[in-house]
Amino acid sequence: MAENKIPYKIYLDENEIPKQWYNVRADMKNKPAPLLNPQTHKPLKAEELYPIFCKELVAQELNDTDAYIDIPEEIQDFYKMYRPSPLIRAYFLEKALDTPAKIYYKFEGNNTSGSHKLNSAIAQAYYAKKQGLKGVTTETGAGQWGTALAMACSYFGLDCKVYMVKVSYEQKPFRREVMRTYGASVTPSPSTTTEVGRKILEAHPGTSGSLGCAISEAVEVATKTEGYRYVLGSVLNQVLLHQSVIGLESKAALDKYGVKPDIIIGCAGGGSNLGGLISPFMGEKLRGEADYRIIAVEPASCPSFTRGKFAYDYCDTGMVCPLAKMYTLGSGFIPSANHAGGLRYHGMSSTLSQLYHDGLMEATSVEQTAVFEAAEKFARVEGILPAPESSHAIRVAVDEALKCKETGEEKTILFGLTGTGYFDMVAYQKFNDGEMSDYIPTDEELQKGFDGLPKVD
Amino acid sequence: MAENKIPYKIYLDENEIPKQWYNVRADMKNKPAPLLNPQTHKPLKAEELYPIFCKELVAQELNDTDAYIDIPEEIQDFYKMYRPSPLIRAYFLEKALDTPAKIYYKFEGNNTSGSHKLNSAIAQAYYAKKQGLKGVTTETGAGQWGTALAMACSYFGLDCKVYMVKVSYEQKPFRREVMRTYGASVTPSPSTTTEVGRKILEAHPGTSGSLGCAISEAVEVATKTEGYRYVLGSVLNQVLLHQSVIGLESKAALDKYGVKPDIIIGCAGGGSNLGGLISPFMGEKLRGEADYRIIAVEPASCPSFTRGKFAYDYCDTGMVCPLAKMYTLGSGFIPSANHAGGLRYHGMSSTLSQLYHDGLMEATSVEQTAVFEAAEKFARVEGILPAPESSHAIRVAVDEALKCKETGEEKTILFGLTGTGYFDMVAYQKFNDGEMSDYIPTDEELQKGFDGLPKVD
């Protein structure tokens, strides 16, 4: 290994952390369709979003013309706490696979939230603070977003109210405790603290909750409590904008060594990690400056890209949020209990949906047993225990590298390793005990979700 | 923060990872006392240790003359997987404390074992592999050492048998699962797989185990199984040698910016982290080239340095291991259930004990509620959730920085942040719920431990 010129880990200098986010929408010929008012089905005006989101974040949400947006200095300072994140050359994995492919991954798990979520959490907390708010509300499923937001709010002295899907609240007490350690209040959802929560509990007394319900509770509290707004960790344009630091750093690190990836791979739930990782590369592609093969990887149990419809849909099951045009399984689709909680969302970022629709990226789906096989192999040779979500990207990166072994091609593969799996050991245990099963929804099951799509002219 | 010349994180280049370990014993005028045969009380010969430890590790254990020992290339390669670890300037903490002190910490938690333990685990696994062994045995309490060894054995294709203290096995199922993910077999101790385990179970049917018992089981299996040896994660000279990479990297990073620490602080259980962190600084001190204030921090509930005796004692409660001269509370001392499992050891590294005895370093003890107060403050401003063990060092670093605030002195403080607390959320929960208590053993309780010390002429 000593003879390799490219180090195992490429760290940028601190002054090379991006000072501007990149807004890929500015370079898109076909812009993502606008958000619609869920009642009137008319495009939403900024003012209509102010009761839910901070003003500056609304501006970012709607901005599809400025390619670069300055990162405020306070956020740049916070980024120095855990960024730049390393771009790692997977020498050990390449050797284990005996592949001529060159594999790189951007590791975003080296912070206490355990994932890339902190990149947007700190931005959203900053704008809330700047607007003079008292606090923010949000929902969390797997818990990485909630943890990231708790950390960000603690830094700016904001109150943070997290609605955590009840089943996760009970099964992941340690995640909950990390959030509490950072000063957040964590409420199992559905709860009796909201109108929508009480209604759901009345209708379904034994329910273990869902992300859609938790969103509705968090939105209700934000809109009804003075000095509070709601924040979201994925799907939204603003989140992809903040997450562009992943791709910008990756590109800067590769450029230092004159490396161009052939294939870029990311897991896709709501799209925050994938959108962030690919954005500057997609920008080059949109401007005709370079070409890349870009692959979104989703769980076979929740296949929005690969089996969903490109249509307007509700972002939440409570149907209180704006309508977004996206690849969706329908807001009524209940994903099976796949262990990659972060990928169990019925829809997909509007921006990524448009890019996929326009043929600028591919998508594929994988089953969870195959995902954990790749995760364990990766952990053993690369030393990092990956999150189940991230392992979807690992699976496809490994498969592409094995194809190179067959063909002898020396392709360069870049994938996003979004986080660590320390709080997912229940899933690893199932895998270690041979008790993990796969599940693929039938066409009939998917049809039920599609039947609930709103009719938009 | 932009105006600071010293970055938030100082990363050495990959080629600056140490290529030699530093053996502080070579520079000690008063060498640590030799290990004794537990039966004859005569100094142990190398051959007597071969049934327990690998030959090359025995040579390292007994070597107190060579100041530098080459790190084999295979180990250097593995180090590149997670080293160099960052030396972090605690700008956020300094600001929160409003202190003129300059605080640095060496963060060893950025790997899946969650701690510095991997530095020695990979070395011990390498020498076992080189000797043609099939596998190794060990014990683990908190689980960081067991995880590190599982990772190292997986890398070299060695079998790894871990005896995990039963109470931890049951309370920390996720730690156990990480070890299994890396292919280790994990047995709750005491178990029926060993003679000593069966004896203990017969005498104490409901026992939840102890580190001393787990050591005895691991040693029995190693000595009775062909092709196996026993490995240990702390206390031993060889472990301090391997851990010197922590101090060597810290010093190299500080030297780059012309910074000399005034105070160096580390938590102390068996001494592996502290010994590794301070070694090159202690070397300068021993050679009269520089002076540093060096502080060992231990829990008030297990105060080997501050209230123990400097005497020969058994390293394990089963009394099968060699006798070592060290600061000890007696091998029969049962530490209370302090949450810093890694610091609950009755004895202390012979090397550090001699240095302390010779007045070359200080020691202090702290209570766990105060430790968790510091841990939470640190987590909120620095973003890293520290292990309870590491937080002992944080507590004293914060106290020293607050003294500087009073006096106005701009002292430079370096401390070791040995690991992360992701698997210690039960402890954080107790703290968050206000249910954490402190415990200081009485003189009478300590006397019972001293009464069991072996009589050595």
Side-chain angles (χ1 to χ4, degrees), chain A residues 8-9 11 14 80-81 83 92 112 151 155 177 180-182 379-381 383 385 429 432-433, chain B residues 8-9 11 14 80-81 83 92 112 151 155 177 180-182 379-381 383 385 429 432-433:
Chain A
Y8 184 83
K9 296 186 239 68
Y11 276 105
E14 214 152 275
K80 287 178 192 154
M81 196 187 279
R83 306 202 69 81
F92 294 105
T112 294
M151 292 175 71
Y155 182 71
E177 216 48 46
R180 285 185 68 207
T181 299
Y182 282 89
R380 290 190 183 189
V381 297
L385 188 79
Q429 181 166 3
N432 291 334
D433 291 340
Chain B
Y8 185 83
K9 295 186 240 68
Y11 276 106
E14 213 151 277
K80 286 178 193 155
M81 195 187 279
R83 306 202 69 80
F92 294 105
T112 296
M151 292 174 72
Y155 183 71
E177 217 48 46
R180 285 184 69 206
T181 300
Y182 282 90
R380 289 188 184 191
V381 297
L385 188 79
Q429 182 166 4
N432 291 334
D433 290 342

Side-chain angles (χ1 to χ4, degrees), chain B residues 305-322:
Chain B
F305 268 138
T306 49
R307 295 175 71 196
K309 292 220 185 299
F310 188 44
Y312 267 107
D313 194 11
Y314 299 100
C315 292
D316 62 328
T317 44
M319 304 182 185
V320 297
C321 292

